[in-house]
Amino acid sequence: QAQLVESGGGLVQPGGSLRLSCTASGSIFSINDMGWYRQAPGREREWVARMTAGGIINYADSVKGRFTISRDNAKNTVYLQMNSLKPEDTAVYYCNAFIESMEGRTIYWGQGTQVTVSA
């Protein structure tokens, strides 16, 4: 079975930067899309960014120009570089990945990492 583990969250001042990482491990045959979502208190989970195995990238309008998604396929890892952070970026950030493993083709989610943007 595959699993995703995130790291890199924390407290940062407005205008600051953070880099999130998410690594997939387990009995993985291949990984297609990898992406990031976030959920702020009292709000529904929203999509942030995605990147296909072939390198196609999409961003939510709210983060375009400030966030950068990248991935290292050799390490089964996706990153989210977040610059010019705003208080409204405060949320729990989750990575997800469409993984083919011994269990078949399934979307996996990480456990989430807290990002707090505050002075």
Side-chain angles (χ1 to χ4, degrees):
Q1 185 174 359
Q3 64 175 353
L4 300 178
V5 178
E6 299 136 340
S7 61
L11 172 64
V12 63
Q13 293 185 343
S17 298
L18 281 175
R19 188 193 195 208
L20 306 182
S21 300
C22 172
T23 299
S25 62
S27 54
I28 296 170
F29 295 157
S30 64
I31 303 177
N32 195 344
D33 289 13
M34 301 186 83
W36 293 92
Y37 286 70
R38 66 186 181 185
Q39 187 167 18
R43 302 188 65 177
E44 294 188 354
R45 189 174 298 189
E46 65 173 354
W47 168 71
V48 174
R50 67 180 280 269
M51 185 172 183
T52 69
I56 297 173
I57 293 173
N58 299 102
Y59 296 102
D61 287 343
S62 58
V63 306
K64 202 171 292 184
R66 300 188 298 121
F67 290 10
T68 302
I69 189 172
S70 61
R71 59 191 282 179
D72 184 334
N73 291 329
K75 296 181 179 179
N76 290 339
T77 298
V78 63
Y79 305 96
L80 187 67
Q81 177 67 43
M82 305 184 294
N83 298 329
S84 302
L85 281 161
K86 305 175 182 180
E88 52 263 43
D89 294 318
T90 295
V92 178
Y93 283 70
Y94 299 89
C95 70
N96 78 342
F98 186 58
I99 296 175
E100 183 174 5
S101 68
M102 294 183 66
E103 283 71 38
R105 296 180 178 181
T106 306
I107 295 176
Y108 289 86
W109 290 87
Q111 81 285 358
T113 185
Q114 177 70 46
V115 171
T116 302
V117 184
S118 175

